[in-house]
Amino acid sequence: MSCALVATIVLALLVPAQGVTAGERLRVLSSPLSAPCVEAAGRAWQTQGGAAPVVETGSLRDPGDWDVLVGSGVELTRALEGGDAVIDSDVGIAEIPWVLQIRSGGEVQALSDVVQSGVEIVMLAGPAAYEARRALARDGTATVRETTDAAQLRSAPVALVPLSLAGSGRTVEVDVPPVRVDAAVGIRAPHAEDATAFVRYLGSEAGRQAFAACSPQ
């Protein structure tokens, strides 16, 4: 065996393989509204041979070596412009409608009914809720408490939330533009190739269907 061939074999053994290894997983940072659906899409991705991602919830501007960022269009635009996501790696995934979640009885048929009743409305906080805040202001002066805690949103007697965060109560459609959800590769992604593949999957027909399959818990 030649010295050159021996050297090639030794280098191949010493250089770590690229991509996600058995002991590693993609780290996905998601805003609260998209996290349940990213988890659903991640499970579908795993059945196709991909490594199941670890989905963490937070602001898309949170520092860290995130492989993938997923959130509302306005949040992802800020991440791209702020240098936290790779330019031109972003894809559109879904549009999530807003709903009123009502956990008790009543004759509520529209957002204005709740606003005029004076009942406290718990709603999603953050930039993704801009249009929802405008709708509340349009219908009158509402008593509002904002939070990003998914458990508080799901358990609230009355909540204004994206459908992905609705709980087990009755839901009522509201006249609020849906939230566009996008994904992109993180600028410091340790597994850039696999992150790109997962982002492409999220933007594919199969990925969008898996994302949309997440149901209120």
Side-chain angles (χ1 to χ4, degrees):
M1 182 180 294
S2 69
C3 291
L5 181 57
V6 171
T8 300
I9 293 174
V10 170
L11 285 173
L13 292 174
L14 291 177
V15 176
Q18 298 299 309
V20 180
T21 66
E24 298 177 315
R25 296 168 68 182
L26 285 176
R27 292 183 69 204
V28 179
L29 178 62
S30 172
S31 61
L33 71 94
S34 52
C37 299
V38 177
E39 291 171 350
R43 291 189 291 270
W45 169 250
Q46 187 177 20
T47 65
Q48 298 192 15
V54 175
V55 181
E56 300 179 50
T57 303
S59 165
L60 298 194
R61 302 304 308 278
D62 287 348
D65 294 334
W66 312 107
D67 289 297
V68 176
L69 304 178
V70 184
S72 67
V74 63
E75 292 172 287
L76 200 63
T77 296
R78 292 178 181 179
L80 289 163
E81 293 176 345
D84 296 301
V86 177
I87 298 296
D88 293 333
S89 69
D90 53 308
V91 300
I93 305 174
E95 290 192 343
I96 302 178
W98 284 86
V99 297
L100 262 178
Q101 170 190 282
I102 311 294
R103 295 181 61 85
S104 59
E107 299 300 322
V108 173
Q109 299 297 325
L111 186 57
S112 58
D113 295 337
V114 177
V115 173
Q116 293 166 14
S117 73
V119 173
E120 180 185 68
I121 301 173
V122 181
M123 68 174 291
L124 177 67
Y130 172 74
E131 292 292 349
R133 293 190 195 94
R134 287 188 63 190
L136 285 172
R138 177 193 64 210
D139 288 329
T141 302
T143 303
V144 178
R145 177 164 56 91
E146 297 189 20
T147 180
T148 58
D149 188 299
Q152 290 186 30
L153 291 166
R154 291 193 175 102
S155 62
V158 179
L160 179 59
V161 292
L163 183 59
S164 54
L165 291 176
S168 58
R170 180 168 66 95
T171 58
V172 177
E173 294 182 6
V174 293
D175 185 18
V176 178
V179 181
R180 191 185 85 241
V181 178
D182 298 335
V185 177
I187 198 70
R188 291 174 292 277
H191 314 103
E193 185 175 340
D194 295 279
T196 300
F198 185 58
V199 168
R200 287 176 179 168
Y201 170 73
L202 290 174
S204 70
E205 184 62 28
R208 290 174 180 175
Q209 289 181 359
F211 187 92
C214 76
S215 57
Q217 299 298 313

